[in-house]
Amino acid sequence: MSSLIFLIALTQATPVAIDDRPRKMSTREIRAYNAPLTRDNPAYIRCKVEGETGSLVRAKSVCRTNQEWQRVEDIGNRDARDIVDTVNSSGSSRGN
């Protein structure tokens, strides 16, 4: 039963709207944009290589501003807490 609640809560996770501008910029454009900024500036663009789901070797580069990365992390943490709270408050017991 708790697995069902978990899946329902997971499908209701908040979608994250992302600024497409960093994704459309070339590496050269990102470096030029970041040149006057410090690494901790909210507008500084960071790129991370993320593995593609379902593939052991395929990966893609995801570029976002520090502010966007923080926002995505905050939303993910909030959604995870909501899921745990939903499962814990369901009152169901496992096993018996």
Side-chain angles (χ1 to χ4, degrees):
M1 180 67 172
S2 63
S3 297
L4 178 61
I5 293 171
F6 174 76
L7 289 174
I8 291 170
L10 187 60
T11 60
Q12 295 176 351
T14 306
V16 179
I18 302 298
D19 181 5
D20 281 347
R21 191 173 20 127
R23 288 194 307 162
K24 295 178 181 177
M25 296 170 75
S26 69
T27 303
R28 178 177 285 175
E29 291 170 327
I30 290 173
R31 285 185 184 142
Y33 174 86
N34 283 341
L37 304 174
T38 59
R39 290 182 66 81
D40 61 344
N41 186 306
Y44 186 89
I45 297 174
R46 286 187 296 134
C47 297
K48 296 180 181 181
V49 176
E50 295 183 346
E52 197 169 301
T53 303
S55 174
L56 298 175
V57 294
R58 202 174 266 176
K60 61 182 176 179
S61 180
V62 179
C63 299
R64 298 180 179 146
T65 63
N66 283 334
Q67 185 176 13
E68 290 168 339
W69 283 115
Q70 185 62 50
R71 190 168 144 255
V72 168
E73 182 178 334
D74 292 345
I75 290 170
N77 288 339
R78 185 195 66 214
D79 289 348
R81 276 191 303 276
D82 290 347
I83 290 169
V84 169
D85 290 344
T86 300
V87 170
N88 289 337
S89 68
S90 68
S92 65
S93 62
R94 296 181 76 181
N96 294 344

